[in-house]
Amino acid sequence: MPDKTKSCECEQETDQQKFARIGQIIDEYKDKEGSLIQILHLAQGIYGYLPLELQQFIAGRLDIPLSKVSGVTTFYSFFTTKPRGEYTIRVCLGTACYVRGGKKIVEQLQEILGVEVGDTTPDGKFSLEVMRCIGACGLAPAISISGKVYKQVNPDKLQSILEKY
Ligand code: FES
């Protein structure tokens, strides 16, 4: 039986070891079609985010310009160049949610958390992001917190939702 009291080994992995692991992934994927996106996905999974030094490392190993890597990183919202907090709050700004007050929810969260969209609270607890439709349009506006969806959110409800975390 595995010893569950031991923390995961990857928590103790150094940056150098993470880069080495990402290097192996690059070697494995580099000749496959659409490899850059896959590599960036896996690299973000290992490192947690895609800082400039990691983008430079990937560009160098793939022998492509850094601008190509940073272009993909900034184009897709699921890539992040900053470390994410423990919980990621995503506010839906799809049409239904936008019309029913999504933007107000964003403004209120910015005020409560004291951060702008794309940033993380200083204590590392929450990151704030926006996204397109999360499939709850009938009960808009909706937000998700680390994957859990909250529907018909209003300013009062917001505070009690955050208190759960
Ligand atoms: S537009 Fe927000 S859930 Fe669809």
Side-chain angles (χ1 to χ4, degrees):
M1 277 255 285
D3 181 0
K4 288 187 181 163
T5 58
K6 264 190 178 173
S7 64
C8 173
E9 272 177 34
C10 49
E11 280 173 23
Q12 282 123 42
E13 202 176 31
T14 64
D15 281 359
Q16 214 179 353
Q17 287 168 323
K18 287 178 189 165
F19 270 64
R21 227 156 34 101
I22 293 165
Q24 286 169 2
I25 286 169
I26 294 170
D27 292 343
E28 203 178 310
Y29 280 82
K30 66 181 171 195
D31 298 322
K32 296 182 184 156
E33 202 165 321
S35 62
L36 181 55
I37 292 183
Q38 275 182 308
I39 289 167
L40 289 172
H41 255 302
L42 293 165
Q44 182 165 289
I46 290 170
Y47 204 80
Y49 65 110
L50 300 167
L52 184 63
E53 68 204 280
L54 181 52
Q55 293 179 48
Q56 283 166 333
F57 174 74
I58 293 168
R61 284 288 276 255
L62 285 174
D63 200 19
I64 58 173
L66 174 62
S67 58
K68 193 166 179 189
V69 176
S70 52
V72 172
T73 306
T74 48
F75 183 78
Y76 294 100
S77 61
F78 43 76
F79 292 131
T80 177
T81 56
K82 294 180 194 165
R84 279 208 172 108
E86 193 181 344
Y87 303 105
T88 301
I89 304 175
R90 293 193 174 94
V91 182
C92 177
L93 286 185
T95 311
C97 288
Y98 187 87
V99 170
R100 289 193 219 159
K103 196 161 171 281
K104 265 220 150 54
I105 302 288
V106 173
E107 286 164 3
Q108 215 202 357
L109 279 167
Q110 285 176 327
E111 205 181 301
I112 294 172
L113 302 174
V115 294
E116 296 297 310
V117 170
D119 285 340
T120 298
T121 52
D123 62 0
K125 195 162 182 188
F126 294 109
S127 295
L128 178 61
E129 294 179 2
V130 293
M131 65 183 300
R132 299 246 183 108
C133 184
I134 49 179
C137 315
L139 295 167
I143 67 169
S144 83
I145 303 185
S146 292
K148 180 165 175 34
V149 175
Y150 295 90
K151 299 162 189 167
Q152 287 182 317
V153 177
N154 57 43
D156 295 338
K157 216 169 161 183
L158 204 51
Q159 196 70 54
S160 66
I161 292 170
L162 290 180
E163 276 162 16
K164 293 183 192 158
Y165 294 86

